[in-house]
């Protein structure tokens, strides 16, 4: 057995000993949106609470109705960019309910929203496996009320929370000392990149076509200048500036909110141990792998790390 198998076995064993409840903080806030809510209000609620997704509840059916995520807004933006006028877009957004947004998504041919969920007493291993297999970044925890059997949305478990839990509690740190160039975690070929001058709509198309959540912005020498992320699309949706999708991504990034957590980089000499210390301290979703001249080498996203550990 080599050390990789050993690490994966140890992590899997660790995740099988814990349930998703173990990851939840003692006290937390959960924002659930009704599918009859106007998209405009849903956006405002997300932004006000500093979140980028929320579970949906259909009060008509008294059932969980999937998640509202940034992908929904990306589908909406793509639809309006290709099919409609800005005037129509603005008018529709004013009067649109979340449930109608799904109709637009159907028309665009977007994949049907997943109704994936897991019971909170499931092990972290099962939850991680489901996240990896479904290529999701988050999964709602769903229970049932004892008497009425009505569905109960308990919380939403994210890749970040699981990896942070491992980073804080996994004791076998010796097993984490191998560098990235040996582990080969992440993507190092065919990386979707953009220049500062690339129009935002082209970057949005890259998100959809490649099923990715970020695109590094590089200069002519391939030096990493920034990263445009799917969450950045939320500010376009919020401001309703659908007519600014031809604006260069460099200009859009200048208007980023002050609380943007920054771009995190690492090198091929970094280990899972050092990546986990970053995850412990900061809310990172990906690390951009660079060489000593800050030139782009690859991307290690949380999904890559989770997939590697779960095997
Ligand atoms: P993510 O959306 O960050 O969870 O990434 C999903 C998968 O796509 C992971 O295997 C990443 O390594 C890979 N990936 C992320 N961003 C890019 C990109 N810009 N170009 C190519 N692959 C990427």
């Amino acid at each position: 057995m080599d050390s990789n198998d050993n690490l994966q076995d140890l992590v899997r064993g660790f995740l099988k000993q814990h349930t998703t409840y173990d990851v939840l903080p003692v006290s937390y806030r959960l924002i659930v949106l009704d599918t009859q809510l106007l998209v405009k209000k849903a956006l405002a609620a997300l932004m006000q609470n500093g979140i980028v997704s929320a579970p949906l509840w259909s009060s008509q059916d008294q059932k969980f109705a999937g998640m509202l995520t940034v992908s929904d807004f990306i589908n909406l933006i793509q639809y309006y960019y290709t099919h409609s006028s800005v005037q129509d877009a603005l008018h529709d957004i004013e009067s649109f309910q979340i449930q109608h947004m799904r109709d637009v998504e159907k028309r665009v041919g977007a994949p049907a929203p997943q109704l994936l969920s897991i019971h909170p007493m499931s092990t972290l291993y099962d939850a991680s496996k489901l996240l990896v297999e479904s290529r999701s970044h988050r999964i709602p925890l769903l229970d049932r009320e004892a008497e009425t059997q009505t569905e109960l949305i308990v919380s939403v478990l994210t890749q970040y929370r699981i990896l942070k839990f491992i980073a804080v509690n996994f004791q076998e740190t010796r097993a984490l000392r191998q560098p990235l160039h040996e582990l080969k975690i992440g993507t190092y070929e065919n990386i979707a990149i953009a220049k500062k001058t690339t129009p935002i709509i082209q970057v949005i198309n890259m998100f959809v076509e490649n099923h990715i959540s970020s695109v590094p912005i590089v200069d002519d020498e391939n030096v990493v200048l920034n990263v445009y992320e799917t969450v950045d699309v939320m500010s376009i949706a919020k401001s309703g500036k659908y007519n600014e999708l031809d604006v260069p991504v460099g200009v859009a990034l200048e208007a980023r909110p002050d609380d943007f957590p920054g771009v995190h980089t690492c090198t091929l000499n970094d280990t899972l141990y050092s990546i986990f210390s970053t995850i412990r301290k900061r809310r990172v979703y990906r690390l951009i792998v660079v060489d000593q001249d800050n030139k782009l080498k690859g991307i290690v996203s949380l999904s890559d790390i989770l997939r590697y550990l779960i095997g």
Side-chain angles (χ1 to χ4, degrees), residues 84-276:
S84 178
S85 74
V86 175
Q87 242 52 43
D88 285 351
L90 294 175
H91 176 264
D92 281 5
I93 299 282
E94 291 289 310
S95 55
F96 243 28
Q97 289 180 344
I98 296 174
Q99 55 195 3
H100 295 146
M101 193 162 160
R102 299 288 190 219
D103 299 335
V104 171
E105 293 183 71
K106 256 190 228 153
R107 268 182 267 158
V108 198
Q114 291 182 332
L115 277 177
L116 218 61
S117 67
I118 195 162
H119 192 275
M121 284 311 287
S122 309
T123 65
L124 278 182
Y125 174 75
D126 286 339
S128 306
K129 210 155 163 269
L130 198 55
L131 281 169
V132 169
E133 283 165 4
S134 62
R135 295 174 171 266
S136 307
H137 290 167
R138 52 182 64 76
I139 186 163
L141 304 178
L142 224 62
D143 205 346
R144 282 184 188 274
E145 273 178 35
E147 279 179 19
T148 60
Q149 286 300 299
T150 312
E151 286 180 339
L152 195 72
I153 306 169
V154 175
S155 185
V156 178
L157 184 66
T158 58
Q159 289 178 336
Y160 176 76
R161 274 195 191 208
I162 296 178
L163 288 171
K164 183 163 179 191
F165 187 78
I166 299 175
V168 172
N169 297 295
F170 183 67
Q171 303 292 340
E172 310 281 343
T173 50
R174 228 165 10 118
L176 300 173
R177 296 280 181 185
Q178 256 185 303
L180 277 183
H181 63 81
E182 281 176 26
L183 294 171
K184 304 204 169 55
I185 302 177
T187 302
Y188 298 91
E189 275 163 25
N190 300 325
I191 300 175
I193 52 164
K195 299 274 164 67
K196 271 181 158 183
T197 48
T198 310
I200 299 180
I201 188 68
Q202 274 185 30
V203 182
I204 290 181
N205 291 341
M206 288 181 203
F207 290 152
V208 177
E209 278 156 25
N210 302 306
H211 305 285
I212 51 176
S213 63
S214 73
V215 169
I217 313 296
V218 297
D219 70 8
D220 291 338
E221 310 316 3
N222 215 24
V223 170
V224 177
L225 306 173
N226 215 323
V227 178
Y228 194 72
E229 303 174 10
T230 45
V231 292
D232 288 310
V233 174
M234 294 293 276
S235 23
I236 301 180
K238 175 79 197 323
S239 64
K241 292 182 179 159
Y242 297 97
N243 49 342
E244 288 189 5
L245 294 173
D246 293 314
V247 164
V249 72
V251 174
L253 287 175
E254 281 164 20
R256 221 173 211 168
D258 294 340
D259 59 358
F260 174 69
V263 176
H264 292 273
T265 56
C266 68
T267 72
L268 283 168
N269 291 327
D270 271 291
T271 59
L272 267 184
Y273 182 79
S274 59
I275 293 178
F276 274 141

